[in-house]
Each structure stands twice: as C-alpha cells, then as structure tokens.
Amino acid sequence: MSLFSQLAGEHGPDAPTCSRKGCRAPAAWSLLWNNPRIHTPDRRKQWLACGEHRDWLQDYLTQRGLWKETLPFDSKEQ
C-alpha cells in the first residue's frame, strides 16, 4: 500500500493503531502534544498508544517538553 492510498483512505486499518514504531495494537490512549517552537499554544497534535506503549510514548514527549495531556481514546469520536 502506498502513502497516497493511505492518505486517500483506501485499504486503511480497520481501527486506529498505536503510534509506537512497529506496533499494530489497537489504540487505547490519545497523547496530546505540541512543539512550542513551531505550534501555537492552543494547537494539539495527537499520538495514539496501546496500553503497553502509553508510558514509553508519554515519557518520550515529556523529556522533549512536548507532552500536554493523555486521555482515553474513543475511536467513535474520530
């Protein structure tokens, strides 16, 4: 599958998955972050995490001063 077909929504995953490299587990958490050097203070980017990788991804963002909030992920709201 090409990047262009993914962006067009063709043959995409049935459910959102964890953002950790190589992980295909279903998303359970939404990690909200922004980079204050390039984003306005109110902008929030989102990484998704499974239960196993939530802490790792949150620590990664926190160490770089990017993490803002972690919330339960509800795929119905997306």
Side-chain angles (χ1 to χ4, degrees):
M1 173 177 8
S2 75
L3 175 61
F4 297 110
S5 62
Q6 287 180 3
L7 293 173
E10 301 169 14
H11 304 84
D14 293 332
T17 57
C18 181
S19 297
R20 177 78 162 107
K21 184 177 180 180
C23 183
R24 303 295 4 131
W29 297 95
S30 175
L31 288 80
L32 304 178
W33 63 278
N34 86 359
N35 184 336
R37 289 178 280 174
I38 60 174
H39 300 130
T40 60
D42 59 325
R43 173 129 187 230
R44 294 293 181 265
K45 303 284 283 180
Q46 178 186 48
W47 278 357
L48 300 177
C50 65
E52 181 180 350
H53 295 119
R54 173 191 166 181
D55 290 340
W56 190 96
L57 290 167
Q58 186 170 313
D59 287 344
Y60 180 92
L61 293 169
T62 300
Q63 289 175 8
R64 288 153 182 81
L66 307 175
W67 179 81
K68 297 299 179 190
E69 185 175 20
T70 298
L71 301 170
F73 177 71
D74 183 359
S75 63
K76 296 174 188 130
E77 293 179 10
Q78 300 301 313

